[in-house]
Amino acid sequence: MSSGSIIGAGLGRRGSKIQWSTAGKIVIAWFITLPAAAAVGAVASGIARLGVIGLVLDAVIGTVVILGLYLWSLRKPHEQASAIEVDVAANAVLTRKELRDMQRKKRADAVAQRRAELSRERTLRRMAARKGGRR
């Protein structure tokens, strides 16, 4: 649902850029997800027809699968920076000018931070030099 809105927002805004390769991946994921969900539902329904034992078995299998996926996700935690959706959303919603302005601001902030670090280092060196000269 959110991927459709992101693509729609990109199409609706003038000057916005859509990454069609990402949109293609989303469509492929839909074609894989829907049949896979149907297959899992059919298997769960077949097991549930065994009666109460089948329902309990469905619950246990579901819990084990969910717990396994959760533990598997902990092996390599992901950060927001590695999520492609952030880039897609930014490209779809922001105009090119807004993206350039945002990138310039990030660079300017990084330069300002580095200048502050260098200034602190020079101040510390001067203080150390003065202290060394007094001895």
Side-chain angles (χ1 to χ4, degrees), residues 17-122:
K17 179 182 166 191
I18 295 177
Q19 294 179 350
W20 288 107
S21 63
T22 303
K25 290 176 188 174
I26 291 170
V27 171
I28 290 170
W30 287 341
F31 281 114
I32 293 171
T33 302
L34 295 175
V40 169
V43 170
S45 174
I47 294 173
R49 289 182 185 218
L50 297 175
V52 175
I53 294 174
L55 292 175
V56 171
L57 193 57
D58 271 344
V60 169
I61 291 171
T63 303
V64 167
V65 167
I66 291 169
L67 183 63
L69 289 171
Y70 172 72
L71 293 174
W72 186 46
S73 74
L74 294 178
R75 293 180 337 161
K76 184 180 175 191
H78 294 283
E79 297 176 357
Q80 182 180 2
S82 66
I84 191 166
E85 288 83 11
V86 174
D87 293 334
V88 172
N91 285 334
V93 177
L94 299 176
T95 64
R96 288 184 186 146
K97 181 185 180 313
E98 291 169 330
L99 281 171
R100 278 193 308 267
D101 291 345
M102 193 169 63
Q103 290 167 348
R104 284 185 192 126
K105 182 172 178 357
K106 283 182 185 177
R107 280 191 296 253
D109 290 346
V111 168
Q113 183 179 0
R114 182 63 182 143
R115 284 181 180 161
E117 290 170 3
L118 290 172
S119 176
R120 281 192 293 274
E121 288 175 12
R122 281 189 219 119

